[in-house]
Amino acid sequence: MLYPPRRLADAQKAVNAAGLDALLLTPGSDLRYLTGYHAHALERLTCLVLPAQGEATLIVPRLERPAAEASPAPGTGVRVVDHEDGTDPYPLVRKALGGPVRAVGLADRMWATQVLALRDALPEARQRLAGEVLAPMRMRKSPAEVAALREAGAAIDAVHARMGEWLRAGRTEAEVGADIAGAIRDAGHDTVDFVIVASGPNGASPHHATSDRVIQPGDPVVVDIGGTMPSGYCSDSTRTYAVGAAPREFSDYYEVLFAAQRASVAAVRPGVPASSVDAAARSMIADAGYGEAFLHRTGHGIGLDGHEEPYIVAGNDLPLEPGMAFSVEPGIYLAGRHGARIEDIVVCTAGGVERLNTLSTSLVEL
Ligand code: ZN
Ligand code: ZN
Ligand code: ZN
């Protein structure tokens, strides 16, 4: 089950252990993770009040009550309370807490307007991050969550597999990007979260989006794409293509990157620190003389958010555990010339690692 009702009870135990009195969760992935309720963040207050003990309350605008009641949230034992437009909803938070509290954990991505309103409504309560208790839960994926990520991985692989239909010399990055966005939806995603088509010199900017640059013969093109599936789980995969014959210098460092990304994936197994997965790629790239050109961490966790814990970065000594899912995406970027990145989502398993993006990582010449 993707959103099992027992998560609320598990979270309550963690809330107690962390010395918090309650979690306050506005719409976003934390709320969805605990209740299955997928609500949009708006100026009207929607807030799950999860006390350390006892019943949880979901405060919603009256017009969203039917949607909240139709969601999986009531099935998890959550009581739904509504407020009318024109009334102040924040006293309902205080009421749901049943008395003064010392410390509350707020959803990590709550809007500042709500953070400050909650500070005024609960002036005695210290505000901390709900991520203190929820990030450790969310980064250990259940088999159902891994299955949802596997489905997302297959969907984005299906888009990369069609790249030859769209990516060619004479078209702009934006034209190619529009075709890719349509294909991301056609492959089963609910939303297109990002489309990077970085051709030629734009490939040296890791988070380039698209532009009106016309793709030239011989251009290397970095294509990094992702979306969110109806399950709520995200995809994210990068392949680098060559439109015709790539420059020799590029092919040389692509081989380095190819080997480094493979070594990094192969380093994933239970008990290994996240930092060593980063080091596996980084040391090979540095040994080949491109250390300065690999200017970001190797990866990020993925789940209901496109970027979440665990981060695959130097200094993160978190030991990997089965169920942790994250990207392995080293890159080499030569400013003014071109760049390359290879990105797969992988999951740590009892026996080692499973790649959730299964396409070849060899350079594809189109
Ligand atoms: Zn990125
Ligand atoms: Zn990516
Ligand atoms: Zn990524």
Side-chain angles (χ1 to χ4, degrees):
M1 198 176 190
L2 204 47
Y3 296 103
R6 61 144 211 288
R7 271 197 194 137
L8 276 178
D10 290 348
Q12 279 183 313
K13 275 189 216 123
V15 168
N16 263 307
L20 287 165
D21 296 305
L23 296 185
L24 305 178
L25 305 181
T26 45
S29 51
D30 287 333
L31 176 63
R32 191 170 190 181
Y33 179 76
L34 288 187
T35 66
Y37 183 36
H38 178 39
H40 289 282
L42 289 171
E43 73 293 352
R44 291 185 174 105
L45 183 71
T46 291
C47 184
L48 177 74
V49 180
L50 179 66
Q53 286 91 30
E55 197 181 31
T57 306
L58 181 61
I59 298 166
V60 299
R62 185 156 296 166
L63 81 169
E64 288 180 17
R65 185 172 191 121
E69 282 177 340
S71 83
T76 62
V78 167
R79 183 171 61 104
V80 179
V81 164
D82 65 34
H83 58 90
E84 241 180 306
D85 283 350
T87 61
D88 178 7
Y90 288 90
L92 294 174
V93 175
R94 195 173 185 90
K95 200 170 156 208
L97 287 168
V101 290
R102 290 157 302 130
V104 290
L106 307 185
D108 288 24
R109 302 183 189 192
M110 185 182 286
W111 289 6
T113 48
Q114 295 160 344
V115 173
L116 297 183
L118 286 168
R119 186 198 275 171
D120 288 344
L122 308 168
E124 75 286 359
R126 208 174 138 222
Q127 294 186 330
R128 288 163 50 188
L129 292 175
E132 286 181 51
V133 297
L134 294 181
M137 291 176 66
R138 286 179 50 184
M139 74 181 164
R140 294 169 172 90
K141 265 79 180 173
S142 68
E145 292 181 277
V146 172
L149 285 169
R150 194 180 288 118
E151 182 190 43
I156 209 70
D157 281 358
V159 179
H160 271 296
R162 295 179 57 194
M163 203 55 61
E165 295 176 35
W166 315 301
L167 186 56
R168 54 181 174 269
R171 303 192 78 203
T172 68
E173 293 173 352
E175 285 166 348
V176 174
D179 288 338
I180 292 172
I184 290 174
R185 279 191 208 89
D186 291 348
H189 295 85
D190 255 359
T191 58
V192 178
D193 297 340
F194 54 90
V195 175
I196 295 175
V197 180
S199 65
N202 292 336
S205 166
H207 276 179
H208 177 77
T210 60
S211 76
D212 291 331
R213 184 179 183 277
V214 176
I215 296 165
Q216 304 296 312
D219 271 352
V221 185
V222 179
V223 178
D224 186 353
I225 52 180
T228 303
M229 298 292 282
S231 63
Y233 285 76
C234 297
S235 66
D236 183 3
S237 175
T238 310
R239 290 293 181 268
T240 300
Y241 299 87
V243 177
R248 176 65 193 275
E249 172 195 41
F250 172 82
S251 313
D252 287 349
Y253 72 76
Y254 191 88
E255 287 308 308
V256 172
L257 183 65
F258 172 85
Q261 199 265 353
R262 272 192 116 134
S264 194
V265 171
V268 176
R269 60 185 177 276
V272 159
S275 56
S276 71
V277 176
D278 179 83
R282 198 166 302 280
S283 62
M284 286 178 73
I285 290 171
D287 287 350
Y290 294 101
E292 293 288 305
F294 177 15
L295 45 82
H296 55 70
R297 67 185 176 219
T298 292
H300 54 83
I302 187 167
L304 290 169
D305 284 315
H307 286 201
E308 57 181 51
E309 294 196 41
Y311 293 99
I312 308 304
V313 62
N316 184 5
D317 295 326
L318 176 82
L320 298 179
E321 293 176 34
M324 290 183 178
F326 47 86
S327 68
V328 176
E329 51 176 311
I332 294 178
Y333 309 96
L334 302 189
R337 311 227 280 283
H338 32 62
R341 179 164 66 254
I342 302 170
E343 175 178 27
D344 289 324
I345 303 303
V346 304
V347 59
C348 181
T349 63
V353 63
E354 177 188 348
R355 283 171 70 218
L356 302 184
N357 298 109
T358 58
L359 293 179
S360 161
T361 54
S362 299
L363 182 64
V364 178
E365 288 199 5
L366 297 174

